[in-house]
Amino acid sequence: MKRTLLIALCFATNLFAQEKFIIEYKQNTEVNEEKVKEFEREQQQNGKGFMKIGSGKDLYHQLEYNEGISSFDRIQTVDNNQANGSVGAFSISMGGEMKALVGNQSEKKYTQEVKLDGENYVVNYPFKDYQWKITNEETTILGYKVIKAISEKENVEAWFAPAIKANVGPTQVNGLPGTVLKAIVQLKSKLETKLIYEAVKINTNPKRFTKLKESNAKVITETEFKALKDESKKKLMSTFGQGVDKG
C-alpha cells in the first residue's frame, strides 16, 4: 500500500516534469522458432511456396524529450545499400513510410506523419491506458536503477527509471512514473513475435533537438489508418504473391 501511494505521488510530480534528454534504443525482434517452423511447413503443404522467416537485423531508434514534447524516430544506420545514416528520414514498411512519432504530454496524444500508397496522412493516437502493475523487481540500465512494470492488457513489460522524471518511453510505451529504458512488446501474431527495445545511450544535457514541422496532410484516426493499411497490404500481397524470402 505504501509503495503504491509513493508511486502515485511520484507520478503526479513527474508527469509534466521539465526534463530534457535524448535516448538511443536498440531494437531486436524475437520469434518462437517452433511457430516459425510450423508456419513454413504450412506454406509448403498449402502449395503457397517457400517463405523463409527471419528476425532481421537490429534496429536503432532515438527518443528526444524536451519539456513535455517527445519525438521517437528510427535512426538510419549505414549498410551496403546506403552511404550515410541520418535521423528523421522515412522508415519503410508494409504499413507505409512513417516519420517520427511525436508525443504531447499536455494533450495526451501522439501524432505521426505517414505516406501510404502515395497519399500523405497525419495519424492521431491517444495515449493508451496500460493499466500497469508495478513489481518489486529492480535492476540497472546504463547506471540507472529501473523498476519492472507489467501491462497484461497490452502485453507489454517495461523497465522504468524513476530518476529520469518524464512519462515517456520507446514507441508508445508510457504512463509510468519515470522514463522507460527497456520495453518488451508482445505482438499479436502467429509467430509470437516480441519487439525488444533497450536504451544503449543517454544524453541528459543535449544542446539541440530535431526541429519538428507541422504537416498540412489529412488528419485521420488510428482506426481509419488501420483500415487503409490493411487494404494496402492486401494489394501488395496480391501483386507479389507468396514465396517471398524475408530472411
Side-chain angles (χ1 to χ4, degrees):
M1 179 65 184
K2 288 183 179 179
R3 182 180 176 84
T4 303
L5 179 60
L6 177 62
I7 288 170
L9 291 172
C10 184
F11 178 75
T13 303
N14 292 346
L15 183 58
F16 297 106
Q18 302 301 297
E19 292 274 358
K20 296 182 179 181
F21 55 78
I22 295 176
I23 301 176
E24 183 178 320
Y25 294 86
K26 178 181 177 181
Q27 176 202 332
N28 61 70
T29 304
E30 290 185 0
V31 292
N32 184 317
E33 295 298 334
E34 290 303 316
K35 295 290 184 180
V36 169
K37 292 176 183 177
E38 182 181 317
F39 175 78
E40 292 174 347
R41 285 195 298 268
E42 286 178 359
Q43 292 294 303
Q44 289 181 299
Q45 291 170 0
N46 294 333
K48 295 182 178 179
F50 180 70
M51 181 180 285
K52 178 69 175 175
I53 305 294
S55 297
K57 65 178 183 178
D58 293 334
L59 304 177
Y60 291 86
H61 305 267
Q62 181 165 288
L63 173 66
E64 301 184 19
Y65 185 83
N66 186 6
E67 299 183 350
I69 302 297
S70 63
S71 173
F72 183 75
D73 202 4
R74 167 88 171 272
I75 298 173
Q76 300 297 325
T77 54
V78 177
D79 59 27
N80 294 332
N81 298 316
Q82 61 187 64
N84 297 297
S86 63
V87 176
F90 274 109
S91 52
I92 301 174
S93 72
M94 289 184 71
E97 303 171 11
M98 302 182 179
K99 284 192 175 178
L101 180 72
V102 178
N104 187 308
Q105 292 289 320
S106 62
E107 296 181 6
K108 295 184 178 180
K109 72 173 185 179
Y110 292 101
T111 57
Q112 186 169 42
E113 188 177 347
V114 176
K115 185 175 183 180
L116 183 64
D117 294 338
E119 297 292 332
N120 292 314
Y121 304 96
V122 173
V123 186
N124 274 336
Y125 301 95
F127 278 12
K128 295 179 181 179
D129 177 14
Y130 284 91
Q131 299 179 14
W132 293 109
K133 294 180 181 178
I134 297 176
T135 74
N136 292 318
E137 292 186 53
E138 298 179 357
T139 187
T140 57
I141 296 177
L142 297 178
Y144 289 89
K145 182 184 81 172
V146 291
I147 303 170
K148 180 181 177 180
I150 298 172
S151 170
E152 295 178 354
K153 179 174 178 284
E154 298 292 339
N155 289 322
V156 177
E157 175 186 310
W159 296 81
F160 68 94
I164 308 178
K165 298 176 173 59
N167 171 25
V168 290
T171 186
Q172 295 186 43
V173 179
N174 67 358
L176 288 162
T179 299
V180 176
L181 298 187
K182 182 177 180 180
I184 302 174
V185 182
Q186 177 75 62
L187 302 183
K188 295 178 181 178
S189 71
K190 291 182 178 180
L191 306 182
E192 298 181 359
T193 306
K194 289 182 181 179
L195 303 181
I196 303 171
Y197 303 87
E198 184 165 355
V200 293
K201 187 185 301 183
I202 299 178
N203 179 358
T204 56
N205 187 30
K207 301 303 181 183
R208 62 178 62 185
F209 293 92
T210 302
K211 188 173 181 180
L212 301 175
K213 298 179 181 179
E214 290 190 16
S215 172
N216 295 320
K218 180 181 178 181
V219 179
I220 60 176
T221 66
E222 182 178 7
T223 301
E224 290 172 326
F225 178 54
K226 184 179 184 305
L228 290 171
K229 191 166 55 173
D230 288 345
E231 183 61 29
S232 175
K233 190 178 294 184
K234 287 179 183 177
K235 292 178 182 177
L236 188 63
M237 294 303 290
S238 64
T239 299
F240 291 99
Q242 299 294 326
V244 180
D245 187 333
K246 294 187 177 181

